[in-house]
mmCIF file of all heavy atoms in Angstrom:
data_model
loop_
_atom_site.group_PDB
_atom_site.id
_atom_site.type_symbol
_atom_site.label_atom_id
_atom_site.label_comp_id
_atom_site.label_asym_id
_atom_site.label_seq_id
_atom_site.Cartn_x
_atom_site.Cartn_y
_atom_site.Cartn_z
ATOM 1 N N PHE A 42 52.703 50.638 134.235
ATOM 2 C CA PHE A 42 51.767 49.581 134.555
ATOM 3 C C PHE A 42 52.322 48.229 134.749
ATOM 4 O O PHE A 42 51.546 47.315 134.856
ATOM 5 C CB PHE A 42 50.718 49.588 133.447
ATOM 6 C CG PHE A 42 50.079 50.922 133.161
ATOM 7 C CD1 PHE A 42 50.551 51.785 132.219
ATOM 8 C CD2 PHE A 42 48.955 51.416 133.814
ATOM 9 C CE1 PHE A 42 50.010 52.980 131.907
ATOM 10 C CE2 PHE A 42 48.353 52.560 133.547
ATOM 11 C CZ PHE A 42 48.822 53.383 132.660
ATOM 12 N N ALA A 43 53.720 48.199 134.609
ATOM 13 C CA ALA A 43 54.292 46.759 134.813
ATOM 14 C C ALA A 43 54.024 46.045 136.127
ATOM 15 O O ALA A 43 53.758 44.929 136.121
ATOM 16 C CB ALA A 43 55.712 46.991 134.577
ATOM 17 N N ASP A 44 54.158 46.781 137.169
ATOM 18 C CA ASP A 44 53.843 46.260 138.511
ATOM 19 C C ASP A 44 52.344 45.780 138.611
ATOM 20 O O ASP A 44 52.096 44.656 139.108
ATOM 21 C CB ASP A 44 54.018 47.274 139.604
ATOM 22 C CG ASP A 44 54.219 46.719 140.927
ATOM 23 O OD1 ASP A 44 54.639 45.569 141.008
ATOM 24 O OD2 ASP A 44 53.851 47.295 141.998
ATOM 25 N N LYS A 45 51.514 46.654 138.161
ATOM 26 C CA LYS A 45 50.069 46.228 138.045
ATOM 27 C C LYS A 45 49.834 44.891 137.192
ATOM 28 O O LYS A 45 49.022 44.053 137.657
ATOM 29 C CB LYS A 45 49.214 47.441 137.415
ATOM 30 C CG LYS A 45 47.863 47.215 137.363
ATOM 31 C CD LYS A 45 47.169 47.131 138.794
ATOM 32 C CE LYS A 45 45.628 47.071 138.786
ATOM 33 N NZ LYS A 45 45.032 47.073 140.055
ATOM 34 N N ALA A 46 50.494 44.871 136.174
ATOM 35 C CA ALA A 46 50.430 43.635 135.276
ATOM 36 C C ALA A 46 50.752 42.340 136.119
ATOM 37 O O ALA A 46 50.117 41.252 135.925
ATOM 38 C CB ALA A 46 51.177 43.898 134.058
ATOM 39 N N LEU A 47 51.813 42.444 136.807
ATOM 40 C CA LEU A 47 52.265 41.270 137.548
ATOM 41 C C LEU A 47 51.237 40.961 138.702
ATOM 42 O O LEU A 47 50.899 39.844 138.966
ATOM 43 C CB LEU A 47 53.430 41.620 138.150
ATOM 44 C CG LEU A 47 54.779 41.671 137.255
ATOM 45 C CD1 LEU A 47 56.052 42.100 137.828
ATOM 46 C CD2 LEU A 47 55.080 40.321 136.404
ATOM 47 N N GLU A 48 50.614 42.026 139.186
ATOM 48 C CA GLU A 48 49.677 41.809 140.253
ATOM 49 C C GLU A 48 48.510 41.068 139.686
ATOM 50 O O GLU A 48 47.875 40.229 140.479
ATOM 51 C CB GLU A 48 49.186 43.232 140.915
ATOM 52 C CG GLU A 48 50.298 43.811 141.799
ATOM 53 C CD GLU A 48 49.669 45.112 142.277
ATOM 54 O OE1 GLU A 48 48.499 45.385 142.157
ATOM 55 O OE2 GLU A 48 50.419 45.843 142.885
ATOM 56 N N LEU A 49 48.111 41.430 138.543
ATOM 57 C CA LEU A 49 46.876 40.825 137.814
ATOM 58 C C LEU A 49 47.219 39.416 137.219
ATOM 59 O O LEU A 49 46.343 38.849 136.589
ATOM 60 C CB LEU A 49 46.421 41.650 136.703
ATOM 61 C CG LEU A 49 45.928 43.186 137.294
ATOM 62 C CD1 LEU A 49 45.626 44.028 136.091
ATOM 63 C CD2 LEU A 49 44.544 42.931 138.090
ATOM 64 N N GLY A 50 48.388 39.004 137.294
ATOM 65 C CA GLY A 50 48.702 37.523 136.818
ATOM 66 C C GLY A 50 49.548 37.353 135.858
ATOM 67 O O GLY A 50 50.128 36.107 135.547
ATOM 68 N N ALA A 51 50.241 38.389 135.354
ATOM 69 C CA ALA A 51 51.354 38.112 134.420
ATOM 70 C C ALA A 51 52.559 37.572 135.138
ATOM 71 O O ALA A 51 52.777 37.856 136.289
ATOM 72 C CB ALA A 51 51.822 39.582 133.774
ATOM 73 N N SER A 52 53.265 36.733 134.403
ATOM 74 C CA SER A 52 54.530 36.125 135.154
ATOM 75 C C SER A 52 55.764 36.839 134.912
ATOM 76 O O SER A 52 56.474 36.952 135.963
ATOM 77 C CB SER A 52 54.757 34.729 134.445
ATOM 78 O OG SER A 52 53.719 33.853 134.739
ATOM 79 N N TYR A 53 55.946 37.739 133.883
ATOM 80 C CA TYR A 53 57.015 38.504 133.649
ATOM 81 C C TYR A 53 56.522 39.950 133.047
ATOM 82 O O TYR A 53 55.515 39.904 132.387
ATOM 83 C CB TYR A 53 58.113 38.038 132.892
ATOM 84 C CG TYR A 53 58.862 36.869 133.387
ATOM 85 C CD1 TYR A 53 58.386 35.489 133.413
ATOM 86 C CD2 TYR A 53 60.110 37.067 134.084
ATOM 87 C CE1 TYR A 53 59.073 34.451 134.101
ATOM 88 C CE2 TYR A 53 60.838 36.079 134.728
ATOM 89 C CZ TYR A 53 60.383 34.814 134.716
ATOM 90 O OH TYR A 53 60.998 33.840 135.275
#
Side-chain angles (χ1 to χ4, degrees):
F42 301 97
D44 197 30
K45 181 69 172 178
L47 294 171
E48 287 179 15
L49 293 171
S52 296
Y53 286 89

